[in-house]
């Protein structure tokens, strides 16, 4: 099963992707997580990506596409995957379609998690990320057992720099200009499925499993 998660920043793509991983046993591939790991490890790619990420801009397509295509060729992707945060532009989507077609493959589902802009700033300002494992929480909607400490690994939780309201507004406008057109792209491919992302996490996931099957 090959799945792409679509939706605004903060719509809940990562949260739902993690639940898909648990239930369906396919890996989550998050380009944001890959970039943040590279920044943490001080790699050249991390240094390049950081300048864009800090401004809430997209990392250029040429720094993203090969990275993802290479990741998808690894063994754990044999039975499928859930892509979270990629593609984010039409050229990225076209490159993905072409890379899959070269292997005689195609995506099965593009799941659009729909959340209006009004809800996004709240979602983001309450999001907390673990510096150690990348786990994601929300101070109101998905709190940790101990404030500021990751349930999964005991790591420290932070508010990502790019989740501050000034940057979120910019990320939203980038989303509308560059990523939202993917909805029509995947509609035309006949694989688009929309879910109401304003429901609680469990109910959104129930709607997703109704699409993917038990
Ligand atoms: P969110 O989950 O809030 O949407 P991500 O973790 O997916 O955020 O992405 C954080 C940042 O990483 C983006 O704002 C962008 O700068 C960069 N990024 C992640 N994925 C991509 C991509 N596919 N193309 C370009 N930039 C990306
Ligand atoms: P994305 O990957 O699309 O950027 P996340 O999955 O990181 O989004 O979710 C953004 C924030 O909103 C996180 O703090 C997360 O805990 C919270 N969240 C995710 N889904 C929901 C939901 N259905 N209702 C309320 N809060 C949610
Ligand atoms: Zn953690």
């Amino acid at each position: 099963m090959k799945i792409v998660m679509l939706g605004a920043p903060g719509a809940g793509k990562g949260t739902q992707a993690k639940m898909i991983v648990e239930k369906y046993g396919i890996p989550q591939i998050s380009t944001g997580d890959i970039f943040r790991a590279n920044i943490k490890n001080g790699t050249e790619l991390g240094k390049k990506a950081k300048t864009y990420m800090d401004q809430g801009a997209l990392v250029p397509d040429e720094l993203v596409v090969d990275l993802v295509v290479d990741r998808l060729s690894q063994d754990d992707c044999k039975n499928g995957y859930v892509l979270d945060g990629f593609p984010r532009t039409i050229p990225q989507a076209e490159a993905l379609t072409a890379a899959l077609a070269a292997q005689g493959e195609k995506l099965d589902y593009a799941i659009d998690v729909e959340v209006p802009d009004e809800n996004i700033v709240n979602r983001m300002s309450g999001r907390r990320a673990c510096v150690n494992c990348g786990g994601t929480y929300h101070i109101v909607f998905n709190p940790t057992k101990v404030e500021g400490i990751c349930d999964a690994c005991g790591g420290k939780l932070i508010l990502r720099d790019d989740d501050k309201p000034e940057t979120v507004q910019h990320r939203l406008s980038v989303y509308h200009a560059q990523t939202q057109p993917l909805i029509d792209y995947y509609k035309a491919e006949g694989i688009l499925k929309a879910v109401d992302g304003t429901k609680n996490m469990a109910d959104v996931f129930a709607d997703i499993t109704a699409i993917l099957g038990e």
Side-chain angles (χ1 to χ4, degrees):
M1 194 152 49
K2 302 186 188 67
I3 306 166
V4 161
M5 302 299 294
L6 296 176
K13 300 178 298 294
T15 300
Q16 295 301 323
K18 287 203 167 60
M19 294 164 95
I20 291 173
V21 168
E22 288 287 309
K23 185 172 169 79
Y24 298 95
I26 52 176
Q28 170 190 12
I29 297 170
S30 160
T31 41
D33 287 349
I34 294 172
F35 288 136
R36 281 184 291 276
N38 274 275
I39 291 171
K40 199 174 157 196
N41 295 327
T43 69
E44 276 310 306
L45 175 67
K47 281 178 200 149
K48 285 184 193 153
K50 188 175 189 310
T51 58
Y52 299 96
M53 292 169 75
D54 283 349
Q55 297 166 26
L58 293 183
V59 176
D61 291 337
E62 55 273 23
L63 292 182
V64 189
V65 170
D66 291 350
L67 179 87
V68 174
V69 171
D70 179 64
R71 177 67 188 86
L72 299 184
S73 71
Q74 290 173 20
D75 237 25
D76 63 328
C77 293
K78 268 199 321 274
N79 298 322
Y81 40 78
V82 52
L83 278 165
D84 156 27
F86 180 94
R88 255 189 165 88
T89 64
I90 292 283
Q92 289 181 16
E94 287 171 342
L96 176 62
T97 302
L100 289 174
Q103 314 283 327
E105 294 172 3
K106 59 178 186 52
L107 292 170
D108 298 299
Y109 300 99
I111 300 176
D112 181 29
V113 183
E114 296 179 324
V115 175
D117 287 9
E118 305 84 87
N119 303 27
I120 293 292
V121 178
N122 273 340
R123 287 265 182 110
M124 305 295 250
S125 59
R127 171 155 70 178
R128 294 293 179 274
C130 173
V131 288
N132 184 43
C133 75
T136 300
Y137 301 90
H138 191 283
I139 53 175
V140 178
F141 305 124
N142 184 21
T144 47
K145 295 198 183 73
V146 181
E147 199 187 312
I149 303 291
C150 177
D151 285 349
C153 78
K156 188 171 160 264
L157 300 187
I158 53 151
L159 172 66
R160 272 166 48 183
D161 273 341
D162 62 343
D163 280 353
K164 292 179 179 151
E166 317 81 84
T167 317
V168 169
Q169 286 301 345
H170 183 59
R171 289 166 67 197
L172 271 175
S173 63
V174 169
Y175 166 76
H176 289 299
Q178 305 212 56
T179 308
Q180 205 171 9
L182 297 181
I183 293 174
D184 283 337
Y185 178 89
Y186 287 118
K187 201 181 277 173
E189 302 244 308
I191 60 166
L192 184 78
K193 305 281 176 185
V195 294
D196 177 356
T198 64
K199 296 182 183 178
N200 70 46
M201 296 173 196
D203 287 348
V204 177
F205 190 59
D207 291 346
I208 290 177
T209 56
I211 293 163
L212 302 180
E214 278 307 319

